[in-house]
Amino acid sequence: DGGITQSPKYLFRKEGQNVTLSCEQNLNHDAMYWYRQDPGQGLRLIYYSQIVNDFQKGDIAEGYSVSREKKESFPLTVTSAQKNPTAFYLCASSIDGREAFFGQGTRLTVV
Amino acid sequence: KQEVTQIPAALSVPEGENLVLNCSFTDSAIYNLQWFRQDPGKGLTSLLLIQSSQREQTSGRLNASLDKSSGRSTLYIAASQPGDSATYLCAVVGNTPLVFGKGTRLSVIA
């Protein structure tokens, strides 16, 4: 079945630790996106990539990093510079800004 | 900068009612508008996509309309059911990736 797979579903991070969230798609989509969702805030764009080996910052990129070495994969690293990382993270993909499809999300909690 | 607003923030209706969710956006230069459903703790499920050249799209009991000139879209849900209870989000694509509203939380009471 085609779709977007995010892992893990739940992730716990200690203070000062970097963690990486995985996002894989088998839809053959060129564009991939990372969003952060906080209660009452809606979804905010962190990073997006329209093609392999290229990506752009979204509205809240500080404290995050990404890579796009393969078309299918767009991992997000939450670095120690992100002071408030507890949130629900959603990955999406689309063909050139058309209909977007989302994964099931990763809930990150700082412990 | 594109801004998307959804009204109301929350809505509670008895089962069987028809209802309308509203979405407005500030920049009419959009490529498309997409409606999503989100269940608690889950990802987003795409419901309907309306391209900028279209006026409406229908899927089952759902009908979405788009008026680019006024910067508005509505999602009409016919004969609501308890299983429709969820948060509904609209998002627009223009020169930037999807910009989301904060959603409408719908509760359908049996």
Side-chain angles (χ1 to χ4, degrees), chain A residues 37-49:
Chain A
Q37 187 176 36
D38 296 280
Q41 292 272 0
L43 276 74
R44 293 180 291 169
L45 182 66
I46 306 173
Y47 268 99
Y48 65 101
S49 168

Side-chain angles (χ1 to χ4, degrees), chain A residues 6-69:
Chain A
Q6 289 188 242
S7 62
K9 187 174 182 180
Y10 299 99
L11 186 59
F12 298 91
R13 191 193 95 167
K14 295 180 180 179
E15 294 285 349
Q17 188 180 44
N18 293 354
V19 292
T20 297
L21 285 61
S22 171
C23 179
E24 303 276 335
Q25 56 99 358
N26 60 4
L27 300 168
N28 200 33
H29 287 172
D30 289 315
M32 296 187 73
Y33 315 86
W34 275 105
Y35 286 88
R36 169 177 171 147
Q37 187 176 36
D38 296 280
Q41 292 272 0
L43 276 74
R44 293 180 291 169
L45 182 66
I46 306 173
Y47 268 99
Y48 65 101
S49 168
Q50 294 175 305
I51 196 168
V52 173
N53 292 323
D54 189 41
F55 47 83
Q56 287 78 40
K57 293 181 179 180
D59 298 322
I60 56 165
E62 184 175 354
Y64 300 97
S65 66
V66 293
S67 63
R68 187 87 186 275
E69 298 177 0

Side-chain angles (χ1 to χ4, degrees), chain A residues 35 37 40 88 97 99-100 103, chain B residues 32 34 38 42-43 46 98 102:
Chain A
Y35 286 88
Q37 187 176 36
F88 191 48
E99 187 172 14
Chain B
N32 61 52
Q34 195 167 353
Q38 185 177 31
K42 304 293 187 182
S46 179
L98 285 164
K102 294 183 178 181

Side-chain angles (χ1 to χ4, degrees), chain B residues 46-59:
Chain B
S46 179
L47 297 174
L48 288 165
L49 173 76
I50 309 177
Q51 296 179 353
S52 61
S53 59
Q54 298 175 319
R55 297 283 293 183
E56 65 178 74
Q57 282 284 343
T58 298
S59 176

